[in-house]
Amino acid sequence: MDKKIRILVAKPGLDGHDRGAKVMAAAFRDAGMEVIYTGLRQTPEMIVEAGIQEDVDVIALSILSGAHMTIFPAVLKLMKEKGLTDVLLTGGGIIPGEEAEELETMGVGRLFGPGTPTSVPIEYIREWVAGRRTE
């Protein structure tokens, strides 16, 4: 039997709008993934520590507050410091295209905006994890 993909869904910062994160957590679960949802108002340190404790394959952040250019790099930096170099950092929210490209250049995975069908990030994560597991 294949090992299930373990994904941490986190809602960092002060943004209290978590409907999208909950929808994606349910979609990941329905797609057969093991989901750990951290809830609202998580710090980068809390997110990375939860990722370590839960031995996840993926950390997915939902950011609607406009703080994506601060939070994604902070989480990525902590992931590298803690040795989580084999964990995908991805997510979504209100992120302009040019800023998403800049974050991807830094090492953040693909980012998804409002209206993206849930099947798109699910397939992206499956392909990314499958690529890692065959290396």
Side-chain angles (χ1 to χ4, degrees):
M1 184 167 103
D2 289 334
K3 180 183 173 213
K4 282 190 174 187
I5 295 171
R6 291 180 57 83
I7 182 167
L8 178 84
V9 177
K11 189 72 183 152
L14 300 177
D15 173 15
H17 301 281
D18 64 347
R19 181 167 299 185
K22 288 179 177 177
V23 166
M24 288 310 305
F28 293 140
R29 179 202 62 217
D30 293 348
M33 298 179 193
E34 291 184 30
V35 178
I36 299 93
Y37 176 59
T38 63
L40 294 169
R41 296 177 181 85
Q42 300 294 298
T43 66
E45 292 81 7
M46 292 164 72
I47 293 165
V48 172
E49 186 60 33
I52 292 167
Q53 290 177 7
E54 295 291 345
D55 191 27
V56 298
D57 300 297
V58 180
I59 295 175
L61 306 180
S62 172
I63 303 176
L64 299 172
S65 65
H68 51 273
M69 294 305 289
T70 302
I71 294 173
F72 274 107
V75 171
L76 188 63
K77 179 178 183 274
L78 286 168
M79 287 172 67
K80 289 177 181 175
E81 288 174 2
K82 301 286 185 174
L84 296 180
T85 56
D86 60 341
V87 174
L88 171 64
L89 176 61
T90 186
I94 309 296
I95 304 170
E98 62 276 1
E99 292 179 352
E101 289 175 14
E102 186 177 341
L103 289 167
E104 288 179 29
T105 300
M106 291 179 197
V108 174
R110 191 166 160 204
L111 300 170
F112 304 92
T116 302
T118 57
S119 60
V120 174
I122 288 168
E123 189 58 31
Y124 168 69
I125 289 168
R126 282 183 174 152
E127 289 175 6
W128 189 91
V129 171
R132 289 289 192 210
R133 290 185 176 167
T134 60
E135 291 178 355

